[in-house]
Amino acid sequence: MEWEPITEREFCELVAAQLAMCPADLREFFARVKIPLAKWRQSPWADLGLGFWAAAVVENRVLWFNDIEDGFNVSRFEERGVIPNDEYWCNHDELRVALRIARDGGGMKAGPPEPLS
């Protein structure tokens, strides 16, 4: 099966569905930090999909959806619109988990894919 990037509509529906399951404090936090819908570049992993959808920015961190791994992640960035190569994570987190990480810090980071031996 070949990977197909998540569409804008699918991403919006996913965020809305997962946000509805978040407690009120996380929904309020998201309302303060959400950004206009945009794909952020990340090479080489997101080249085929022309980037990953970003949902929020908190200081120098972006909350984004890795549709290859099917999970939300939080990464540091220096240039808006670009997720640095060393900040690619393949977490399978739901939005509520990533929002807590973005708000409170911490969290586990699953590194980039590695070849099977």
Side-chain angles (χ1 to χ4, degrees):
M1 185 170 125
E2 194 170 306
W3 170 66
E4 294 259 344
I6 190 171
T7 66
E8 178 178 338
R9 181 179 180 171
E10 291 168 331
F11 176 69
C12 290
E13 289 172 354
L14 174 68
V15 169
Q18 290 202 15
L19 197 57
M21 296 186 296
C22 288
D25 64 316
L26 288 180
R27 289 193 308 271
E28 291 166 7
F29 174 71
F30 182 75
R32 289 192 310 270
V33 298
K34 71 181 178 180
I35 60 172
L37 191 60
K39 278 197 172 185
W40 282 39
R41 294 187 322 265
Q42 199 295 317
S43 190
W45 306 110
D47 289 348
L48 180 63
L50 304 177
F52 290 119
W53 291 109
V57 168
V58 181
E59 298 170 357
N60 67 335
R61 297 180 315 277
V62 60
L63 187 155
W64 55 282
F65 184 69
N66 183 335
D67 51 332
I68 297 170
E69 300 289 339
D70 196 30
F72 287 91
N73 296 271
V74 177
S75 297
R76 286 185 303 273
F77 68 90
E78 292 179 17
E79 180 185 344
R80 215 172 162 90
V82 178
I83 301 166
N85 198 25
D86 63 346
E87 284 291 317
Y88 173 90
W89 308 115
C90 54
N91 292 13
H92 296 252
D93 293 339
E94 293 179 353
L95 180 59
R96 64 182 170 77
V97 174
L99 279 170
R100 281 192 186 105
I101 292 168
R103 183 187 67 189
D104 304 335
M108 302 271 304
K109 304 239 186 210
E114 296 189 16
L116 298 173
S117 301

